[in-house]
Structure formats: C-alpha cells, structure tokens
Amino acid sequence: MHSKQQLTPFCSHLHSSRHLVLSKFSTTTETAPSHILRKCIDLLQKCTSYANLKQIHALSIRHGVPLSHPLLAKDFIFSIVSLSGPMSHALHIFHQILQPGIFTWNTLIRGFAESSTPLPALHIYHQMHMSSTPPDTHTYPFLLKAISKLLDLKEGEKIHSTVLKTGFMPLVFVQNALVHMYAVCGSFENAYKVFEEMPLRDLVSWNSVINGFAINGRPNEALTLFREMALEGVEPDGFTMVSMLNACAELGALALGRRVHVYLLKVGLSGELHAGNALMDMYAKCGGIWEAHRVFDGMKDRSVVSWTCLIVGLALNGFGKEALAVFGELEKAGLAPSEITFVGVLYACSHCGMVDKGLEYLKRMSEYGIVPRIEHYGCIVDLLGRAGLVEEAHAFIMKMPMEPNAVVWRTLLGACTVHKNLALGEVAQAKLAQLDPGHDGDYVLLSNLYASQGRWSDVHRIRKSMLKEGVRKNPGHSLFELGNSVHEFVMGERSHPQSDEIYEMLEEITRLLKLKGYVPSTTNVLADIEEEEKENALCYHSEKLAIAFALISTPPSTPIRVVKNLRVCLDCHLATKLISKIFDREIIVRDRSRFHHFKDGSCSCKDYW
C-alpha cells in the first residue's frame, strides 16, 4: 500500500527538483529562437527511434533552445513515452517545465503505467493534485492501468471514489479501466458490478469482465458472459478468445476449446504467439496433449513460454520422459530456459519417479544463472516424497536456504499420508498449524493418516477440532462437458435432472466391477463405520457419478474426460481402470495435480501418483 507519508518525500523531491532547474532556465525560455523551436518540434513529431530523439535533444541544446520551453518539453516527453524510452529522461525534462499542462502530466503518468516500474505514476498523480492541476478524461484510465499493474486494490477503490466525485464515471474508457483494475486485483464482484451498470459497453468492456472471471477461477461465469456477448452482437477478437481458452482450460471443456480453435483459424489468429500458447495450454489441461503438440509443431514463432507450455503439459499428462526430451530440444535450439521451465522439468521428474534426474536438474539451474526459488525446492520435496523417501524429504527441507512455506510442509504431509509415516506427518502438521492455520486440506490429510492407522479416536478429535474452529472441508466435485454445457457432480447428490438413470448406471457398474473381482479400497474412508457402509460411500464419489453420466450420454467408444478438484482416491483409481476395460472406453481424469489416462484396464501414471 502507498500512504500519503510514503508519497510525500517523492512529491517534495519532485517539486524542489523542478524549482532548482527552472531557476536556471527560466531566463532563456522567452528568447529561444522560434525557427529552431519549430524545427525541433517538427523533428520530434517524425522521430522513430530513441537514438534520433537524443540527436534532436543535442540540436536543441546547440542552438540555445532550452527544454524548459513548455511546447518543446511536452513533445519531448511524449516522444520518450511513445518510443518506450527511459522514464528517468522524461522525468528529467519534466522537472524543467514551469507550468506543465494536463497533457504533459497525463503523458508522464501513462509512461510509468506502461513501464516495468508503475509506482511513480501514483506519485506523479498526487503531485499533480498538489499543484491544483485538474484531471481530464485521460488521467484516470492511465492511472488505473498503473494501479492494475501494482495490484493495489485499496488505491484503486480510492480512485474509483474520486472518479465518482469528479464526474468522470460516465465515460466508457474510465469504466473499462475500472473493470480491468478490479478484475486483475481479484475483485471480480466489483468488476462485474461496474460492468453491469454500464449503459454502453464496447468490446474492451466485454473482454475485461470475461477475462476477470476467467483469471479468478470462475470459468462458468466467463462462458455465460461470452454467450451474452454473442447475443448482443458483439464480435470477439483475439483477446476474447484467449480468455475463453483459459476458461475452457479450467473447466476441461475440450469441445468448446476446439470450437474456439476453429474460430481462431477462421479469422487468422491461430498463428499469433499469445493465442498459440493459450491453445497449447487449453489442450494440455483438457487431456489433449498430442493436440497441444500439434499446435506447437505448427507455430512459426516460438518463445520460451511456448516450449515451457509443452514441457509442463507433457509432465501433467504423465509423459515425463517426453517432457525432458522437449527440454533437450529447447537447449539445442539455443534458448535459455526460464525459472518456470525448470519447474516443469522438476515436475516431470517428480511424477515419473526420476529422483536422480530431478536432483541433477536442480544443480543444472546454475548453468543458466537461475537461483532456485522455493517452488523448485518444493518440487524436490514432492519428488522425494512421492518416491517414498519421506525421511530424505524432511532432511532436504531442513537444509533449504530459505524458510520453508506452508506449501512445502503440506507437500511433506501429503507424502506422509500416502506412505503412512505418522511421526513425520504430525511434525508437518504442527508446522502448518503455525504457518497456515485453518486450512481444510491439512485436517483432511492428517485425518486420512490417522484413519489408515485405525486411530479412530484421533480422527474424531480432528473432526471436533474442525467444527470448533469453523473449518469446512472443501467438497469434492467433478466436471463433465456435454454439448454446450459443463455438468457438475458432487458426492452423493441427486439434484441432476437425470439422477435416476445415473444411479441405475452406477448400480450396473458396481455389479460388473464385482464380476471382475473388484474389492473396494476402504482404507481412507473417514469414519469408524461398518465395511458395507464404507463401500456404499465410495460408490457415490463425484468422479464415479460423472463417469456414469458420461456412459449413458455418449456413444460407445467415445473418450470420456472428467475434471476433478481433488486428488483421485485409491479406490476410484482402481475402479476407473476396470471401468475403462469393461466398457471399452478411454477415460481421462484430470485431478488436482495431474492427468490419468485410463485405457484397457491400466493407467498412464502406472499407479504412481
């Protein structure tokens, strides 16, 4: 946050700097040769590079035209900003102007808003306010852009209030800037409220609110708004379609994502780098990893982000060796991997049990001048934990060069739950209670660990503790796309219109599974109840409901794609392998951390997840 106390020193410095420079130049301003002034201004308006700009600057100095001249300074600052020149140069010139007009103030705010250091835009705005220069229609869109980059919601709310007071709220580009600011700051409710109250909406308005929902984990709302946009006759552009692809990726809505791909091909946008990367991400997150690979192969230009998308996608889908092969190709192409690329590489090693390879890649990061961050160390903890090396994972945490965060300790707790290491699990839980108290997943993991040891009194103690502290377990849900809709299923629910047919199919699935020798894995059912009751509870897990619905709603041999918000449990994994064989279906399940491609009774993860 940026209080008045923080802003005042900068503003005072800005004021005193201008005063000192002006005392030097004010005597020459009026005597500047007019023909040289006009020539400099004319050259500035035609200037196409920062190098040329410096030559014009030298010309003005040589002929005695000071930068304190408001007309020349205004165009100089505008040219620096338009050519993405150094803002320190623009600020130096600004200090020399006696009475800068609103155009110059706005240009300076815009320059910082578009730079990699947007904070001074706020300082400039406050200095402008102190100088009693009234804002105009362009001030707030530039300022809100800076606030959006800073993710400073409180400052954004203050500016929203000022906009209302100063009467600029009815302007569509001010409203659009507010929608964008709220969306990127995570306040999608406020973004939608501003959007809903707009009497006139243009493409930017729709793009901002759709993207706001897409990036804030509300993909269903993004799709609903996209349909409303079409009904209002607003033509989407590339930005709209990238937002849609992000929403499709979140929902696992492959069919809709493919339609977006067709649209991009139709309008000639599929080859654009940002769209290509979004397409790859969508296909990878919907389980269509080879379609993602085809998009990558068809891209004329590829950035490190493109290579990273493919590496992470392959790793997510269980193709670790292929992910590492692509990383090798990236190196052969002479590109330098990024920090995120190495997260993908370590993730690939983790999900394929390649412990030695993972440790080797961690060391290799230094070859590219990359210092491992906590995300990379977290991947190694996950790698060791998944491989059953829980003690080694704990030792690795204790030697980390930075303080381990809650995610690292939660990774260790998850590994302890899988490999039934109660002593270390309790150590991890104690750390989590300090770092991130009240996280529902930690209670569930520890409860699972106690349940696996048959310590039901501890399971009940944790349940009471959750109730006492008001912690609610995040309910498991599974999504399945059919036609233009995404159907959501929650364990044991009967609200779906085809609920009766779904449960009939579930009974048939259970009967056929038992004929194949299936025995439910009830180890982690969190209740000290009869075995038969545990088996019934397992039958109604959300992904089983989604699979049953898919079986009654799609033709034979059609692949089934399900997205689940939690980790697939041992019983559902076992059952889904058999279902894929019994019904001759490929079933692709995306859980919280990876993909499982079930086919002919086996899974791509080779039972290592």
Side-chain angles (χ1 to χ4, degrees):
M1 300 298 98
H2 320 292
S3 64
K4 281 186 180 177
Q5 287 80 4
Q6 289 174 301
L7 293 172
T8 302
F10 180 93
C11 294
S12 301
H13 171 71
L14 187 66
H15 182 76
S16 59
S17 298
R18 288 180 58 226
H19 179 75
L20 288 169
V21 175
L22 289 172
S23 64
K24 182 178 178 183
F25 285 102
S26 58
T27 56
T28 59
T29 302
E30 296 302 320
T31 60
S34 60
H35 69 285
I36 296 295
L37 176 64
R38 285 195 300 272
K39 183 177 180 180
C40 287
I41 291 172
D42 185 51
L43 287 169
L44 282 171
Q45 289 170 352
K46 296 172 184 175
C47 185
T48 57
S49 74
Y50 183 63
N52 289 344
L53 189 72
K54 289 194 285 187
Q55 290 173 338
I56 300 166
H57 191 169
L59 176 72
S60 70
I61 293 170
R62 193 161 58 246
H63 290 279
V65 180
L67 287 179
S68 56
H69 197 291
L71 289 175
L72 184 61
K74 172 176 75 80
D75 282 0
F76 250 113
I77 292 171
F78 181 79
S79 296
I80 292 168
V81 169
S82 300
L83 294 167
S84 302
M87 287 306 298
S88 56
H89 189 184
L91 199 58
H92 174 72
I93 295 169
F94 181 78
H95 287 161
Q96 301 176 30
I97 309 172
L98 182 60
Q99 289 182 319
I102 186 59
F103 178 87
T104 308
W105 286 103
N106 285 345
T107 304
L108 205 59
I109 292 170
R110 173 196 152 203
F112 280 111
E114 291 174 352
S115 75
S116 57
T117 53
L119 181 58
L122 282 178
H123 303 326
I124 300 295
Y125 169 74
H126 285 282
Q127 176 63 16
M128 185 185 102
H129 181 70
M130 286 166 62
S131 72
S132 300
T133 304
D136 70 0
T137 55
H138 298 286
T139 307
Y140 292 113
F142 294 147
L143 185 62
L144 287 164
K145 185 173 185 176
I147 291 168
S148 300
K149 276 193 173 183
L150 292 165
L151 302 177
D152 193 340
L153 181 59
K154 285 193 176 178
E155 194 67 38
E157 288 171 336
K158 288 179 192 173
I159 297 303
H160 187 175
S161 176
T162 305
V163 165
L164 288 165
K165 289 174 188 173
T166 51
F168 289 105
M169 193 63 194
L171 300 172
V172 69
F173 38 90
V174 173
Q175 293 168 336
N176 285 344
L178 280 166
V179 172
H180 175 71
M181 181 276 295
Y182 279 124
V184 299
C185 290
S187 182
F188 55 85
E189 299 97 336
N190 281 330
Y192 184 68
K193 187 178 178 184
V194 174
F195 173 81
E196 207 174 21
E197 291 172 356
M198 290 175 70
L200 294 170
R201 301 162 182 164
D202 59 13
L203 179 58
V204 175
S205 319
W206 285 99
N207 281 348
S208 295
V209 75
I210 288 170
N211 188 56
F213 279 113
I215 64 176
N216 284 293
R218 303 294 288 267
N220 272 320
E221 288 87 341
L223 297 186
T224 301
L225 280 164
F226 179 70
R227 292 187 191 105
E228 286 179 21
M229 176 181 166
L231 289 171
E232 291 200 15
V234 180
E235 274 293 313
D237 64 359
F239 188 86
T240 323
M241 304 322 287
V242 167
S243 296
M244 287 299 297
L245 287 169
N246 291 336
C248 292
E250 281 298 309
L251 289 167
L254 182 60
L256 181 57
R258 282 176 176 149
R259 289 200 289 277
V260 174
H261 190 175
V262 169
Y263 177 86
L264 289 169
L265 287 166
K266 183 179 173 183
V267 296
L269 288 169
S270 61
E272 193 266 331
L273 183 63
H274 194 47
N277 290 341
L279 273 170
M280 272 200 295
D281 184 60
M282 181 278 295
Y283 278 124
K285 287 181 177 174
C286 291
I289 186 58
W290 304 118
E291 288 171 282
H293 210 312
R294 281 194 289 275
V295 171
F296 177 82
D297 291 340
M299 290 173 73
K300 291 177 183 176
D301 298 309
R302 299 168 185 158
S303 64
V304 172
V305 174
S306 314
W307 289 87
T308 301
C309 273
L310 186 58
I311 290 166
V312 172
L314 286 163
L316 268 172
N317 281 271
F319 300 102
K321 290 179 181 175
E322 290 83 351
L324 298 183
V326 171
F327 179 74
E329 290 173 29
L330 177 152
E331 291 186 301
K332 284 178 188 173
L335 291 170
S338 67
E339 292 177 355
I340 301 169
T341 313
F342 273 104
V343 170
V345 167
L346 294 174
Y347 190 92
C349 294
S350 175
H351 282 263
C352 294
M354 295 183 280
V355 176
D356 293 338
K357 276 278 186 189
L359 293 169
E360 180 189 321
Y361 280 116
L362 183 70
K363 288 178 184 175
R364 284 197 55 202
M365 289 176 68
S366 61
E367 294 176 18
Y368 293 97
I370 299 172
V371 177
R373 293 160 61 104
I374 197 158
E375 294 87 352
H376 302 103
Y377 288 111
C379 283
I380 297 297
V381 173
D382 187 51
L383 170 67
L384 295 168
R386 285 178 187 276
L389 304 171
V390 183
E391 299 286 349
E392 289 85 345
H394 181 245
F396 182 85
I397 290 172
M398 301 312 291
K399 292 176 184 174
M400 280 169 54
M402 72 279 290
E403 199 67 33
N405 61 12
V407 176
V408 171
W409 285 111
R410 193 165 292 126
T411 301
L412 180 66
L413 177 57
C416 290
T417 303
V418 172
H419 298 288
K420 300 179 175 56
N421 189 319
L422 184 57
L424 267 184
E426 289 179 325
V427 169
Q429 171 59 29
K431 292 286 185 182
L432 286 164
Q434 295 170 11
L435 294 168
D436 190 13
H439 190 284
D440 67 299
D442 301 338
Y443 288 94
V444 172
L445 285 170
L446 190 61
S447 207
N448 279 344
L449 186 49
Y450 282 131
S452 70
Q453 306 283 313
R455 291 176 54 167
W456 298 109
S457 60
D458 287 312
V459 172
H460 293 311
R461 175 175 58 80
I462 288 173
R463 278 187 171 180
K464 285 180 184 176
S465 170
M466 288 176 75
L467 287 170
K468 184 180 176 183
E469 294 169 30
V471 178
R472 298 186 65 184
K473 179 181 177 291
N474 186 23
H477 69 254
S478 293
L479 307 172
F480 174 73
E481 182 190 20
L482 183 68
N484 290 321
S485 301
V486 176
H487 297 255
E488 183 174 345
F489 298 91
V490 177
M491 177 181 168
E493 73 162 351
R494 291 180 177 268
S495 60
H496 194 279
Q498 291 173 259
S499 187
D500 291 342
E501 297 99 306
I502 291 168
Y503 277 84
E504 280 176 25
M505 175 51 79
L506 266 181
E507 286 180 19
E508 178 63 8
I509 290 170
T510 304
R511 185 184 71 80
L512 292 170
L513 284 173
K514 287 180 177 176
L515 288 175
K516 290 288 181 182
Y518 159 76
V519 177
S521 175
T522 59
T523 309
N524 287 335
V525 177
L526 299 184
D528 187 13
I529 55 177
E530 294 300 321
E531 200 67 17
E532 188 178 342
E533 291 178 70
K534 290 184 182 182
E535 290 180 15
N536 285 337
L538 290 168
C539 282
Y540 304 133
H541 275 192
S542 65
E543 59 263 58
K544 286 178 181 167
L545 291 170
I547 290 168
F549 174 67
L551 288 170
I552 64 173
S553 307
T554 59
S557 302
T558 307
I560 295 170
R561 288 180 168 82
V562 174
V563 175
K564 182 177 170 64
N565 68 325
L566 303 177
R567 187 176 183 270
V568 169
C569 76
L570 185 64
D571 179 73
C572 285
H573 194 269
L574 173 63
T576 308
K577 283 198 296 184
L578 290 171
I579 292 168
S580 72
K581 188 174 182 67
I582 293 167
F583 290 91
D584 190 26
R585 295 283 194 115
E586 182 183 4
I587 303 172
I588 301 155
V589 177
R590 183 180 107 197
D591 73 4
R592 186 175 59 192
S593 62
R594 65 168 298 157
F595 276 90
H596 299 267
H597 294 253
F598 299 95
K599 194 172 183 179
D600 297 326
S602 62
C603 179
S604 59
C605 76
K606 299 178 177 61
D607 299 336
Y608 184 87
W609 86 99

